[in-house]
Amino acid sequence: MKVALLQFDSQWCKIDENITRATQLIREEDADLYVLPEMWSTGFIVKPQGVAESESTSTSLKWMRQIASEKNCAICGSLAVSLEDGTYRNRQYFLSSNSYAFYDKKHLFSHGKEQLFYHAGGTPVIVEYQGFRFLLQTCYDLRFPCFSRYGRAGEYDAIIYVANWPSSRQQAWDILLKARAIENQCYVIGVNRVGSDETSVYAGGSVVVDPLGVILAANGDKENVSSAELSMENLQKIRSRFRVLEDRDLFIY
């Protein structure tokens, strides 16, 4: 499976501009799965009132559905949305031409007061596409390995992290993505933004990491698209040759 990482500078609350830029990047690379950053169509909105799209009428979500249908692919990324019950969610969507799934960010970023405005998700979410099982995770979730632990979160082949991760903590992003891949013997796909907003500067660092911690694709710190092939055969070989997952204490994790 070919995965493309769409790393760009999300313009603050300019949905149409962000859709246009994402469309341009998609045209640069044919892939089976496209991954966008966290809140890709608006930038990271802490206070969503009057800004977050209604899920039922979301232009951004409609565009994601359209891309999945037109290209016969899957697309993943998070949006700030309001629901009919009046709550707001940082909701990561995974859409293909014939499937729909979402995950609400579990670990809300209290350092930035995200928890004051958004409703946290509950259990982990795993989606299957073209024979691969993907665990959906969002930004701050990366710092909580027990939540994403293989087995405890379910059985999966890859983790997708979408993020607005600031450059001041870039080293943590780089290291923790590799750690999640190695400890769970899985592929890790991490997509971050670049540019800046009112509170932070972002240096990208989007990557695909294999189960051994080897980087297969990297976007650096500029707007661009990169891609990598995920191999189920390679994943199974690694897990069978070095059976780390079989030595877990299931009572603990």
Side-chain angles (χ1 to χ4, degrees):
M1 176 189 297
K2 186 176 181 181
V3 178
L5 316 180
L6 307 180
Q7 178 173 286
F8 65 100
D9 181 2
S10 298
Q11 299 302 300
W12 186 253
C13 297
K14 295 181 178 179
I15 292 173
D16 290 341
E17 288 188 23
N18 293 322
I19 287 176
T20 297
R21 184 56 180 141
T23 302
Q24 291 170 343
L25 289 174
I26 285 175
R27 288 173 180 167
E28 294 181 14
E29 192 83 31
D30 287 327
D32 301 299
L33 168 62
Y34 295 92
V35 185
L36 296 149
E38 178 184 23
M39 294 191 189
W40 63 269
S41 70
T42 57
F44 187 73
I45 302 169
V46 174
K47 298 179 180 179
Q49 294 89 338
V51 180
E53 295 179 279
S54 169
E55 185 180 51
S56 62
T57 60
S58 168
T59 299
S60 305
L61 185 56
K62 180 180 179 181
W63 173 83
M64 292 177 74
R65 293 182 189 276
Q66 181 179 342
I67 290 295
S69 176
E70 289 179 355
K71 294 186 68 66
N72 192 27
C73 66
I75 187 167
C76 179
S78 98
L79 302 170
V81 295
S82 62
L83 305 187
E84 292 182 359
D85 63 5
T87 62
Y88 295 94
R89 310 296 173 103
N90 185 344
R91 180 162 285 184
Q92 182 182 164
Y93 294 93
F94 190 106
L95 305 170
S96 71
S97 57
N98 57 11
S99 65
Y100 167 88
F102 66 83
Y103 159 71
D104 291 336
K105 186 178 181 181
K106 170 64 175 176
H107 298 95
L108 300 176
F109 190 51
S110 61
H111 184 72
K113 297 181 170 55
E114 186 181 14
Q115 85 287 359
L116 299 181
F117 303 97
Y118 290 87
H119 187 88
T123 59
V125 173
I126 296 172
V127 299
E128 186 169 346
Y129 179 67
Q130 291 191 0
F132 280 84
R133 299 165 297 178
F134 294 93
L135 173 66
L136 306 183
Q137 300 276 275
T138 303
C139 203
Y140 196 39
D141 288 330
L142 181 59
R143 290 186 179 270
F144 301 90
C146 291
F147 184 64
S148 63
R149 190 67 172 114
Y150 183 92
R152 179 169 182 172
E155 296 185 352
Y156 52 81
D157 309 303
I159 308 175
I160 298 175
Y161 289 98
V162 300
N164 272 219
W165 196 285
S167 60
S168 58
R169 294 183 285 278
Q170 192 69 31
Q171 187 176 27
W173 168 260
D174 297 339
I175 292 171
L176 294 178
L177 288 173
K178 285 188 175 183
R180 298 295 87 81
I182 293 168
E183 70 195 10
N184 295 298
Q185 290 193 307
C186 70
Y187 289 101
V188 165
I189 302 159
V191 179
N192 192 24
R193 64 163 291 181
V194 293
S196 62
D197 58 24
E198 294 180 352
T199 62
S200 299
V201 175
Y202 304 91
S206 302
V207 292
V208 176
V209 185
D210 83 358
L212 298 177
V214 176
I215 294 177
L216 303 181
N219 293 63
D221 60 359
K222 307 297 182 184
E223 278 197 339
N224 58 64
V225 55
S226 69
S227 63
E229 292 282 348
L230 307 188
S231 168
M232 182 60 71
E233 181 181 3
N234 182 57
L235 175 63
Q236 292 173 340
K237 284 181 178 179
I238 291 171
R239 285 179 170 177
S240 64
R241 288 175 179 172
F242 191 48
R243 300 177 181 274
V244 173
L245 297 178
E246 293 184 11
D247 290 332
R248 292 169 298 127
D249 186 334
L250 297 180
F251 180 75
I252 299 174
Y253 46 74

